[in-house]
Amino acid sequence: MSANQSRINAIAKIIDREPKQYEKLAPLSEIWACDVFNLAAMEEALSKKAFKAIKNTVQTGAALDAATADIVAAAMKDWAMSKGAKFFSHIFYPMTNITAEKHDGFIITNSDGNAITEFTGSLLIKGEPDGSSFPNGSLRMTNAARGYTAWDPTSPAYVMQTANGATLMIPSVFMSWTGQSLDKKIPLLRSNAAMDKAAHKVLALMGETDIAPLNSSCGAEQEYFLVDENFANSRPDLLLAGRTLFGAAPAKGQEFDDHYFGAIPARVQVFMQDFENKLYRLGIPAKTHHNEVAPGQFELAPYYEAANVAADHQQLMMTIMTSTAKEHGFICLLHEKPFAGINGSGKHVNWSVGNSTQGNLLDPGNSPHENLNFLLFCGAVIRGVHLYGPLLRAVIASAANDHRLGANEAPPAILSVYLGDQLEGVFNDIKEGKLVAKGEGGLMDLGLSQILKFERDPGDRNRTSPFAFTGNRFEFRAVGSSQSVSGPLVSMNTMLADSLDWIAEQLAASLAGGADKTAAVIAVLKEIMDLHGNVIFGGDGYSSEWHRVAVEERGLKNIPTTADALPAFKDEAVISLFKDTGVLTTEELASRFEVYSEQYILSIEVEAKLVIDMATTQIYPASIQAMSTLAGTSASLKSIGVELQNYGLQGMATESNAMMAAVGELSTALKKHDHESVEAHMNFSAYTICPLMLEVRAHADALEGLVPDELWPLPKYQEMLFIK
Ligand code: ADP
Ligand code: MG
């Protein structure tokens, strides 16, 4: 079967396709978290004493004693086996965005040769996958590849039901045998602890006496595309790179006529129900929205949870989304920019910090002292984004997200903070001395109604801001759809810890100098505005004027590509930030630079090879075939004295030659291996390889408009994007 035949067959198959039949859903109350070994399940399974001990560990992170671990492990095994599990697995999150697991049986044989099942506390707590092939960024030698996984009891274990059976999954950290973090969970837990410690200091100085442990929260809105598998299977680029490396813009932009694909939206709905059902069983609080922005694009927003649990759930959600889509005949694309010229996908990370005694500290609250706490935490965020903007840019950097950031549909590659008119007004008043705490008789009243309640703007307020205050949280909008939320959460928690520490020092000094509390708060906020107010921006982030002002007048950085962004991990300020807060050692941070830059270089290399391959073996032959037919006809006509005005032939010849010339240049560029440094290699990828790929594409896309439709080998944009 020729390639174009497979495209035509795909269209036929899809037209005839029926939605997958779906059984009626069980009520939410029956399925909610039914596959999770959460506190409720533990309470049922454990003695009062054991439950009390494990509850303390789950809620405060206190160490678990060996005896309790044995009891919990045995109960967990019985619970899991009652759900059909014969295997268990520590599930962990290496430095790449993936989720990793290694399955072990509960089975052992005893001296009589009988098979029994066993699961001890030490097996629960510690696993030892052969981790040599996980990226470690020089933290381990391959010949000393020992890596350990250890249960994180603050994230509950669960049973994963798949077509291959049920497995007990144990959320875990992953470290080298020297105790260095090889994963994304350890830094997240540490960053939360650092934030908690610094927040305590500030709250204590503010006169709070009862301060419960603080936790960060996260609600991540996930965007994704669904493409029928028949199309995806005819597109090597979608299968291997997750995005189309070729494809002419469709005639009709983003509104497609879906007349003969009427059955499709029903398929999507059945997929969503099925998918959500699976999430509910795992205790993931999902709500789905259809996204109208691009055809074939959808969004899912779960309710927010503690950051550590939300991060685990986010990974799980991406896994289940992808596997469930397959069951419904779709390929789920989590790539940030699967289709050029069509809106890409992001993952807005909504983030706040709080506890059970002071509540959400990014919520302005209802009384003056809550307002003061709120303003301090908000000021801490402003300072953090200004000081560590390049770090925030670096943790969302990837070859894929580069296609989205700054493309006038996603936030620009300049980190600024959007506060909304009301709050920006308050901070400006503080800066200009309008809200001054006066000594005698004129103490300003920060219980002013103007800052009591911030209106929650409806919907997408300032879509052009990468980092926006949204009523009771900040929303980091520049995060990419395929990325783990851990990196962004770690950097936000850590920069907040750093700012709160700094604020605590300033406050302590003012208070020791005899200042009154309100005056001390206003003074520190004024200083933050003087030093960091430049990062606040409420205007149009897409405008070229902002790009100029941000860089030339405000001193902010415009960081267009991953090659420009990742070196932030080597900044002295960033190294000290992570070291001083105890979130990452210098070696751990360096290993992240190494792993991320390698991933960047590799993913561009894979794409470049695919571009060469598809242009040479699919597009060029189709164009030759088209030309030979046309040339034959033209010659026959000429023999009877008729001249064919074959613009198409001329155009195809020109574009084919130009395309293959660019392919040649790209192949030569890929052979260059003597890069001076990783930074130089990244720059070469960004500024030599990527433009060459685009050049090949430009000619190929022109050919798509010239080669007869029936000969074109690749499913076209309008075919893949018809689902609404
Ligand atoms: P919007 O559409 O205005 O962004 P949503 O209510 O859809 O608002 O919220 C988006 C995400 O933000 C959801 O995941 C939601 O649970 C989460 N969220 C809401 N409040 C908070 C909060 N205080 N901290 C963290 N995330 C939150
Ligand atoms: Mg939102």
Side-chain angles (χ1 to χ4, degrees):
M1 180 170 61
S2 64
N4 56 322
Q5 199 55 47
S6 99
R7 168 177 158 237
I8 286 162
N9 288 350
I11 296 171
K13 277 192 205 154
I14 293 160
I15 294 171
D16 287 341
R17 177 158 227 160
E18 291 287 331
K20 192 179 160 193
Q21 284 301 311
Y22 195 64
E23 325 87 72
K24 215 166 166 284
L25 291 181
L28 187 59
S29 58
E30 267 173 43
I31 56 167
W32 174 252
C34 67
D35 290 333
V36 186
F37 198 55
N38 55 15
L39 281 175
M42 290 195 211
E43 186 161 24
E44 215 165 277
L46 295 171
S47 69
K48 269 212 164 68
K49 188 169 162 236
F51 177 66
K52 207 173 146 206
I54 185 73
K55 188 175 167 192
N56 184 39
T57 298
V58 169
Q59 292 183 338
T60 69
L64 196 62
D65 65 275
T68 310
D70 275 335
I71 297 169
V72 172
M76 195 187 278
K77 183 201 73 178
D78 290 345
W79 171 86
M81 288 183 66
S82 77
K83 303 212 162 270
K86 292 189 185 67
F87 290 83
F88 68 93
S89 170
H90 284 119
I91 180 158
F92 55 101
Y93 312 95
M95 284 187 249
T96 51
N97 282 314
I98 63 157
T99 305
E101 49 196 75
K102 181 196 176 202
H103 296 201
D104 273 304
F106 288 126
I107 187 169
I108 56 166
T109 51
N110 62 15
S111 52
D112 306 332
N114 294 323
I116 55 167
T117 60
E118 187 181 75
F119 191 52
T120 60
S122 60
L123 282 174
L124 165 64
I125 287 176
K126 199 164 95 178
E128 193 189 335
D130 170 23
S132 52
S133 50
F134 291 109
N136 62 76
S138 304
L139 283 178
R140 287 174 308 171
M141 308 291 175
T142 349
N143 59 358
R146 230 174 251 267
Y148 293 105
T149 51
W151 181 35
D152 163 22
T154 58
S155 185
Y158 55 91
V159 163
M160 185 76 164
Q161 311 272 4
T162 68
N164 296 335
T167 306
L168 170 65
M169 305 299 258
I170 303 161
S172 300
V173 299
F174 181 45
M175 63 196 136
S176 71
W177 78 283
T178 52
Q180 307 254 46
S181 156
L182 296 171
D183 72 345
K184 290 189 174 267
K185 191 188 253 294
I186 291 175
L188 181 51
L189 294 170
R190 288 182 189 154
S191 72
N192 204 70
M195 181 279 296
D196 174 40
K197 198 166 144 208
H200 250 85
K201 283 189 217 164
V202 171
L203 291 173
L205 286 165
M206 291 302 290
E208 304 281 357
T209 46
D210 184 14
I211 309 169
L214 285 103
N215 214 338
S216 47
S217 296
C218 163
E221 303 161 56
Q222 174 78 52
E223 292 179 337
Y224 62 99
F225 278 86
L226 292 176
V227 172
D228 190 277
E229 65 182 357
N230 290 293
F231 286 137
N233 288 337
S234 309
R235 299 253 356 180
D237 47 1
L238 276 187
L239 289 182
L240 294 184
R243 75 174 177 114
T244 54
L245 298 167
F246 299 98
K252 257 189 111 180
Q254 299 200 358
E255 303 89 34
F256 296 101
D257 191 344
D258 58 353
H259 57 288
Y260 61 97
F261 298 112
I264 301 300
R267 277 177 70 198
V268 176
Q269 266 174 19
V270 176
F271 155 76
M272 283 177 173
Q273 281 179 15
D274 194 2
F275 163 53
E276 282 171 10
N277 211 35
K278 291 180 188 176
L279 296 184
Y280 291 149
R281 294 181 67 95
L282 294 167
I284 303 178
K287 309 186 257 172
T288 300
H289 311 277
H290 289 245
N291 198 326
E292 300 290 331
V293 176
Q297 190 188 30
F298 307 93
E299 180 184 303
L300 179 124
Y303 197 70
Y304 69 100
E305 303 178 277
N308 175 33
V309 175
D312 289 359
H313 279 172
Q314 230 289 309
Q315 292 295 120
L316 193 50
M317 214 178 76
M318 289 195 285
T319 307
I320 296 176
M321 193 175 245
T322 314
S323 61
T324 309
K326 271 199 187 128
E327 291 168 24
H328 290 258
F330 290 118
I331 297 285
C332 171
L333 300 174
L334 293 172
H335 193 283
E336 282 71 8
K337 192 76 174 175
F339 303 98
I342 304 285
N343 274 35
S345 300
K347 179 146 54 197
H348 299 174
V349 175
N350 293 271
W351 166 77
S352 63
V353 300
N355 63 7
S356 57
T357 42
Q358 277 70 39
N360 175 2
L361 286 148
L362 290 174
D363 189 328
N366 290 314
S367 61
H369 79 278
E370 287 175 337
N371 268 201
L372 285 183
N373 287 346
F374 161 73
L375 287 174
L376 281 176
F377 277 71
C378 213
V381 174
I382 293 168
R383 177 183 179 273
V385 178
H386 187 238
L387 280 179
Y388 303 110
L391 169 66
L392 291 173
R393 175 66 184 88
V395 297
I396 54 161
S398 72
N401 210 18
D402 283 357
H403 294 293
R404 187 178 150 257
L405 296 180
N408 276 16
E409 47 143 86
I414 305 167
L415 258 294
S416 64
V417 178
Y418 171 77
L419 293 179
D421 293 345
Q422 208 179 7
L423 187 54
E424 187 174 334
V426 172
F427 273 96
N428 281 336
D429 284 353
I430 290 172
K431 184 176 181 193
E432 285 159 27
K434 286 192 203 150
L435 289 188
V436 193
K438 297 196 189 73
E440 271 291 291
L443 257 192
M444 62 136 325
D445 175 14
L446 264 186
L448 287 169
S449 58
Q450 74 177 122
I451 56 165
L452 273 182
K453 271 208 181 284
F454 293 94
E455 246 174 64
R456 280 197 69 196
D457 299 292
D460 248 356
R461 308 123 285 257
N462 189 327
R463 298 192 44 204
T464 68
S465 174
F467 205 94
F469 180 71
T470 51
N472 64 353
R473 61 189 186 269
F474 279 92
E475 184 172 344
F476 192 2
R477 312 181 67 253
V479 182
S481 51
S482 70
Q483 295 175 330
S484 156
V485 295
S486 297
L489 289 169
V490 167
S491 49
M492 289 190 284
N493 284 341
T494 308
M495 74 177 193
L496 184 63
D498 176 74
S499 287
L500 290 172
D501 263 328
W502 180 85
I503 286 174
E505 267 173 41
Q506 311 299 310
L507 280 181
S510 290
L511 293 172
D516 123 291
K517 204 167 67 187
T518 308
V521 169
I522 297 284
V524 74
L525 290 174
K526 178 162 171 32
E527 186 155 4
I528 287 177
M529 284 305 288
D530 287 340
L531 295 172
H532 308 291
N534 264 351
V535 79
I536 300 170
F537 178 63
D540 178 3
Y542 296 166
S543 69
S544 49
E545 179 60 5
W546 168 238
H547 287 233
R548 189 190 65 75
V549 169
V551 175
E552 290 173 18
E553 292 173 19
R554 304 257 195 127
L556 304 178
K557 290 205 171 107
N558 185 0
I559 305 173
T561 74
T562 301
D564 307 296
L566 288 181
F569 284 116
K570 294 186 162 179
D571 284 355
E572 280 308 318
V574 170
I575 295 172
S576 311
L577 169 74
F578 282 115
K579 199 169 136 200
D580 297 347
T581 48
V583 173
L584 289 170
T585 64
T586 307
E587 297 76 39
E588 285 170 330
L589 185 62
S591 74
R592 267 111 193 123
F593 173 81
E594 202 174 301
V595 171
Y596 302 157
S597 50
E598 186 175 61
Q599 277 192 314
Y600 174 71
I601 291 167
L602 278 180
S603 51
I604 290 183
E605 202 174 293
V606 166
E607 288 191 346
K609 286 179 181 164
L610 267 169
V611 162
I612 294 170
D613 185 66
M614 290 171 69
T616 313
T617 67
Q618 293 189 287
I619 297 171
Y620 187 63
S623 155
I624 295 287
Q625 196 183 343
M627 283 189 283
S628 92
T629 313
L630 253 184
T633 310
S634 167
S636 313
L637 287 174
K638 209 169 187 170
S639 72
I640 56 163
V642 181
E643 192 76 36
L644 186 63
Q645 297 298 315
N646 48 6
Y647 162 77
L649 190 50
Q650 186 68 53
M652 279 190 275
T654 310
E655 296 295 350
S656 302
N657 283 338
M659 180 179 78
M660 293 315 289
V663 163
E665 276 185 67
L666 183 55
S667 311
T668 308
L670 273 184
K671 292 197 184 91
K672 180 173 165 63
H673 291 301
D674 55 343
H675 299 283
E676 261 170 36
S677 61
V678 178
E679 284 87 341
H681 197 167
M682 284 201 288
N683 272 316
F684 187 76
S685 303
Y687 295 107
T688 302
I689 303 280
C690 285
L692 281 172
M693 288 201 287
L694 278 179
E695 187 170 345
V696 177
R697 177 181 188 146
H699 299 299
D701 291 356
L703 284 170
E704 189 181 323
L706 296 171
V707 171
D709 186 68
E710 56 166 19
L711 295 180
W712 193 252
L714 300 168
K716 296 184 172 183
Y717 269 29
Q718 65 263 38
E719 291 159 0
M720 293 184 283
L721 286 167
F722 54 80
I723 306 160
K724 275 193 177 167

